[in-house]
């Protein structure tokens, strides 16, 4: 059974499962606060792929932690989603549940990913050590259609600001309008204290007065006090390691990466010691200082409570990436 949103990852899993002749059930969870067209797209793609499709509906605007928009919101959301998907799968006779999480997702600030472990959801792309750019490349080269609009609209509202149906509808309408005017593949509108910040995957599509003026007018009509533009484009194909994260030594490179979340070093220590892994050895946790010493592929490494990871003695960028990929699935974040 596949947790299916119609996005790149779950679409490729559905495609591959069908190609492999697997008996796959796609399950889509509709929390009532996804962008317009989300559910219709999921229905159409599963039909085109010839895959059985089930839909679970639940209005998350009736869920306190989601409405109050606490830092725990994504954990609550994913707990409800995965719990319901797992139950539906079991009810339909499916014992294996998979999702589209990939290695790149392990480096993003998405706390809901913790629920994958709690509900024992398998992630084939993590097992296969695949990254977002590789998945997008395969989809594009094989002309496999997927949706770029599969993220919950509640995530657009600043944490601790109340989420209401009026805010969700306004964000949905304005994102759709900006997307129509600009033609940008991905548009997100962030809302904080009635200020709208527009983010796009292609900034060139909006940098035109004939486009900016109607967008400002429409968003003002939607009762936003101020409209801002984020000058950093949305990047869906970000690299796992950036060049400036590699520090040159005399004969090797040291990777110094900072993850955008804290690390639960005690839980990470427990996971590391309970799993057999030929790449990892010499694990020692220094709790009072807040880091784990270990060897990854025989390289001296550190994992710090504040999210920093260091891996020494890498031959090149590819070598550093391979070692990072070998440790990421074992890291457990704090929320």
């Amino acid at each position: 059974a596949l947790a299916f949103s119609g996005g790149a990852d779950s679409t490729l899993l559905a495609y591959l499962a069908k190609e492999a002749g697997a008996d796959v059930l796609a399950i889509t969870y509709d929390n009532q606060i996804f962008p317009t067209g989300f559910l219709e797209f999921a229905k159409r793609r599963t039909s085109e792929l010839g895959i059985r499709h089930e839909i679970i509906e639940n209005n998350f605007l009736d869920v306190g932690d989601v409405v109050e928009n606490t830092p725990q919101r994504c954990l609550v959301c994913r707990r409800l989603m995965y719990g319901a998907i797992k139950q539906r799968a079991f009810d339909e006779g499916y014992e294996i549940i998979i999702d589209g999480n990939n290695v790149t997702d392990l480096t993003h600030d998405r706390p809901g990913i913790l629920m994958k472990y709690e509900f024992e959801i398998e992630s084939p792309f993590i097992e296969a050590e695949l990254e977002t750019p590789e998945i997008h490349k395969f989809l594009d080269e094989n002309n496999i259609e997927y949706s770029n609009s599969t993220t919950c609209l509640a995530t657009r509202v600043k944490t601790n600001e109340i989420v209401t149906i009026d805010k969700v509808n306004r964000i949905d309408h304005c994102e759709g309008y900006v997307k129509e005017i600009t033609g940008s593949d991905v548009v997100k509108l962030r809302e904080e204290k009635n200020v709208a910040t527009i983010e796009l995957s292609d900034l060139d599509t909006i940098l035109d007065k004939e486009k900016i003026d109607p967008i400002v007018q429409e968003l003002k009509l939607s009762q936003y006090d101020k409209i801002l533009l984020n000058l950093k484009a949305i990047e869906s194909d970000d690299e796992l390691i950036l060049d400036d994260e590699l520090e040159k030594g005399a004969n090797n490179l040291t990777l110094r990466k900072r993850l955008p979340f804290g690390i639960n070093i005690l839980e990470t220590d427990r996971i590391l010691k309970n799993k057999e892994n030929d790449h990892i050895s010499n694990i020692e946790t220094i709790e009072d200082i807040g880091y784990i010493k270990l060897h990854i592929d025989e390289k001296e490494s550190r994992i710090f409570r504040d999210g920093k990871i260091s891996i020494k003695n890498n031959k090149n960028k590819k070598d550093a990436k391979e070692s990072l990929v070998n440790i990421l699935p074992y890291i457990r974040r704090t929320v």
Side-chain angles (χ1 to χ4, degrees):
L2 163 65
F4 184 79
S5 68
D9 300 319
S10 62
T11 295
L12 182 52
L13 277 178
Y15 172 84
L16 294 174
K18 185 66 176 179
E19 287 291 299
D23 173 10
V24 59
L25 168 66
I27 303 176
T28 299
Y29 194 101
D30 179 19
N31 65 11
Q32 310 290 307
I33 45 178
F34 281 110
T36 296
F38 158 79
L39 195 58
E40 289 69 23
F41 184 86
K43 290 177 181 177
R44 175 169 67 80
R45 286 303 285 132
T46 49
S47 175
E48 291 168 347
L49 290 167
I51 290 175
R52 185 180 167 204
H53 189 209
E54 294 272 329
I55 299 167
I56 300 172
E57 294 186 353
N58 185 12
N59 189 348
F60 275 14
L61 290 175
D62 294 330
V63 179
D65 279 333
V66 175
V67 172
E68 293 172 11
N69 204 15
T70 69
Q72 302 291 319
R73 174 198 63 209
C74 289
L75 281 178
V76 172
C77 170
R78 196 57 65 122
R79 181 176 287 118
L80 290 169
M81 291 177 70
Y82 275 161
I85 287 172
K86 188 167 186 175
Q87 186 59 56
R88 177 66 64 88
F90 283 178
D91 290 345
E92 297 292 333
Y94 292 80
E95 296 182 358
I96 300 171
I97 300 95
I98 62 176
D99 71 9
N101 280 307
N102 65 60
V103 170
T104 305
D105 295 320
L106 299 177
T107 66
H108 289 168
D109 188 14
R110 297 172 183 168
I113 201 170
L114 288 172
M115 292 300 101
K116 132 183 175 52
Y117 305 113
E118 181 172 317
F119 286 97
E120 299 180 321
I121 308 297
E122 302 290 339
S123 301
F125 290 154
I126 291 178
E127 295 292 328
E129 301 180 353
L130 287 172
E131 304 167 44
T132 295
E134 296 172 299
I135 290 165
H136 284 186
K137 181 180 179 183
F138 184 91
L139 288 164
D140 294 340
E141 288 180 349
N142 290 276
N143 296 314
I144 301 170
E145 184 185 8
Y146 61 93
S147 173
N148 284 314
S149 301
T150 60
T151 54
C152 171
L153 293 174
T155 63
R156 312 286 203 269
V157 181
K158 181 70 174 178
T159 303
N160 293 323
E161 289 190 13
I162 298 296
V163 177
T164 66
I165 186 62
D166 289 339
K167 287 183 180 179
V168 169
N169 287 340
R170 176 168 70 168
I171 291 168
D172 191 30
H173 166 74
C174 291
E175 284 188 356
Y177 184 83
V178 174
K179 191 169 186 177
E180 180 182 352
I181 292 291
T182 64
S184 183
D185 288 338
V186 184
V187 173
K188 294 182 180 180
L189 186 145
R190 307 288 182 186
E191 178 174 311
E192 180 179 5
K193 295 180 180 178
N194 221 41
V195 173
T197 300
I198 300 169
E199 300 177 355
L200 305 97
S201 56
D202 186 354
L203 287 172
D204 289 339
T205 61
I206 198 173
L207 299 179
D208 181 335
K209 184 173 171 29
E210 291 185 1
K211 295 179 180 179
I212 291 175
D213 286 349
I215 288 172
V216 170
Q217 182 179 0
E218 184 66 26
L219 268 62
K220 285 287 188 180
L221 287 173
S222 297
Q223 304 303 308
Y224 281 114
D225 297 329
K226 187 180 291 186
I227 297 99
L228 310 178
L229 175 64
N230 190 333
L231 294 180
K232 186 179 187 304
I234 297 171
E235 297 176 349
S236 60
D237 287 351
D238 46 341
E239 288 191 85
L240 205 61
I241 293 178
L242 303 177
D243 290 339
D244 61 9
E245 294 174 325
L246 292 168
E247 182 181 290
K248 290 184 179 180
N251 299 305
N252 53 52
L253 297 171
T254 295
L255 171 65
R256 300 192 188 281
K257 187 168 186 68
R258 179 69 176 267
L259 299 174
F261 48 79
I263 294 174
N264 184 332
I265 60 168
L266 290 181
E267 182 65 8
T268 299
D269 173 86
R270 185 186 70 81
I271 297 295
L272 286 168
K273 290 176 178 176
N274 286 342
K275 302 253 186 182
E276 290 187 12
N277 189 313
D278 295 336
H279 299 278
I280 298 169
S281 61
N282 300 339
I283 304 163
E284 181 185 355
T285 296
I286 297 85
E287 183 183 355
D288 55 339
I289 300 177
Y291 71 93
I292 302 172
K293 292 197 304 182
L294 71 163
H295 284 171
I296 306 172
D297 298 320
E298 301 183 355
K299 305 169 188 174
E300 185 180 338
S301 307
R302 299 283 189 277
I303 300 172
F304 295 87
R305 182 183 287 136
D306 64 1
K308 292 197 292 284
I309 298 175
S310 71
I311 304 174
K312 296 183 177 180
N313 300 320
N314 301 285
K315 300 172 187 175
N316 48 44
K317 187 175 183 178
K318 180 182 178 183
D319 185 35
K321 181 186 288 190
E322 288 174 353
S323 294
L324 179 64
V325 168
N326 284 329
I327 191 61
L328 284 173
Y330 299 94
I331 290 175
R332 296 296 180 268
R333 63 190 73 196
T334 57
V335 180

